[in-house]
Amino acid sequence: MIEVNTFFVETHTHLDLIKRDTEEVVKEAEEKGVTKMVTVGTDLSSSKIALEFTSRFRGVYAAIGFHPNEIKILDEQKLIELEKLAKNLKVVAIGEIGLDYYRNPNSAPGQLEAFKKQINLARKLNLPLIIHDREAHQDTLKILAEEAKGLKVLLHCFSGDLNLAEVGIERGYYLGIGGVVTFNNAKKLKAVVGDVPIEDLVLETDSPYLTPDPFRGKPNEPKYIPLIAEKIAEIKGISLKEVAEITSRNAQNFFGI
Ligand code: NI
């Protein structure tokens, strides 16, 4: 059983994409101890919805930005609108932003430009970055090294190997660990989780995607965060309470919440 004073921070959900009453989703997560969560926008309209959720629910914060799969060209007007939204006090990060060469290899030049522009916006507003990197590890690391010096960085849904994890940690980045860690075939991720200090990890579901076992195949929700924490506790041979406390502290430091 989780003690009363133990809670979890969910660092990455898309509440707008979960096809169920949001009030129920948030309430059921809270009942499992997931009392703070960051809902993530992927374009202007979903970022606006994320902000609506933050005004409806006390424990919900927003990250806003243009996902690399949602933007071919990031023009000045869209960037100005994003900046306006980002001034809301419950916006705690710019994201998810980054590179996706898996789904959209042909739009790489536009993705790179949008990525850089949004890093600059984060710098201007002094906000952390939530990074999406799918099969674009080298370019992502390069851009971050060049453009994001001094900014806080979270590598969301970390999918690299131990070497990449070490490079990220060396630079002070956090790694977001999600439901994939519960899958039987996730050897690489389990090795990363086993090796890196828990002080560098945060929890996330990326719901409605990537549902952890034993619910794999069904829609994901923030209430499943404890399943991910349990798996991390098992891999690292520490208590669930420790995982909850340290990852929550990490997330709170990162987002300032
Ligand atoms: Ni996401």
Side-chain angles (χ1 to χ4, degrees):
M1 270 310 280
I2 299 277
E3 287 175 37
V4 201
N5 60 351
T6 305
F7 66 97
F8 299 95
V9 181
E10 148 79 292
T11 64
H12 197 114
T13 179
H14 300 275
L15 286 178
D16 57 318
L17 299 178
I18 297 173
K19 292 179 177 34
R20 221 159 66 81
D21 179 22
T22 309
E23 204 162 319
E24 292 287 304
V25 171
V26 171
K27 193 171 137 246
E28 285 174 26
E30 283 171 351
E31 284 166 4
K32 298 281 182 190
V34 186
T35 51
K36 292 188 182 207
M37 62 181 84
V38 177
T39 189
V40 179
T42 55
D43 61 10
L44 274 182
S45 64
S46 72
S47 293
K48 281 178 193 158
I49 298 170
L51 279 177
E52 282 170 32
F53 289 141
T54 68
S55 60
R56 276 175 63 196
F57 306 105
R58 193 161 168 254
V60 175
Y61 300 81
I64 64 170
F66 292 95
H67 189 292
N69 291 335
E70 303 299 333
I71 192 92
K72 297 272 181 307
I73 304 285
L74 179 52
D75 62 45
E76 221 39 49
Q77 193 49 45
K78 287 198 183 102
L79 197 62
I80 288 167
E81 284 201 50
L82 186 65
E83 180 170 350
K84 276 188 204 150
L85 294 179
K87 292 191 170 145
N88 184 299
L89 286 178
K90 280 191 100 179
V91 170
V92 294
I94 296 295
E96 56 184 295
I97 64 171
L99 302 171
D100 194 318
Y101 294 168
Y102 174 77
R103 256 191 283 178
N104 289 306
N106 298 328
S107 64
Q111 288 186 41
L112 286 162
E113 212 191 309
F115 189 18
K116 288 182 194 170
K117 283 180 182 170
Q118 293 181 95
I119 294 172
N120 286 335
L121 176 63
R123 183 180 299 289
K124 188 172 165 188
L125 301 174
N126 196 24
L127 285 170
L129 298 168
I130 295 178
I131 304 299
H132 173 102
D133 157 24
R134 191 147 183 217
E135 300 197 358
H137 300 325
Q138 293 318 315
D139 282 2
T140 301
L141 282 181
K142 184 166 172 281
I143 301 280
L144 287 173
E146 290 167 0
E147 310 283 331
K149 265 200 201 80
L151 294 181
K152 293 181 187 171
V153 174
L154 195 176
L155 301 176
H156 135 71
C157 194
F158 184 77
S159 61
D161 58 12
L162 195 52
N163 182 45
L164 185 79
E166 279 166 356
V167 173
I169 287 166
E170 179 84 28
R171 295 187 191 174
Y173 302 169
Y174 282 107
L175 313 184
I177 306 298
V180 174
V181 77
T182 67
F183 300 169
N184 272 334
N185 57 0
K187 288 206 180 71
K188 192 171 70 175
L189 185 59
K190 284 180 176 148
V192 167
V193 168
D195 260 54
V196 307
I198 182 101
E199 283 73 18
D200 299 309
L201 304 182
V202 295
L203 308 176
E204 63 166 74
T205 62
D206 203 15
S207 42
Y209 313 111
L210 297 170
T211 314
D213 274 334
F215 302 109
R216 197 173 176 182
K218 301 201 177 110
N220 199 3
E221 288 195 16
K223 68 181 174 192
Y224 295 142
I225 279 284
L227 296 173
I228 296 160
E230 269 167 25
K231 181 52 80 174
I232 294 173
E234 182 193 313
I235 293 170
K236 297 191 88 59
I238 58 178
S239 70
L240 179 61
K241 186 167 182 276
E242 262 179 289
V243 173
E245 283 176 359
I246 300 171
T247 58
S248 295
R249 191 173 67 215
N250 296 344
Q252 288 180 285
N253 285 341
F254 181 79
F255 292 114
I257 57 176

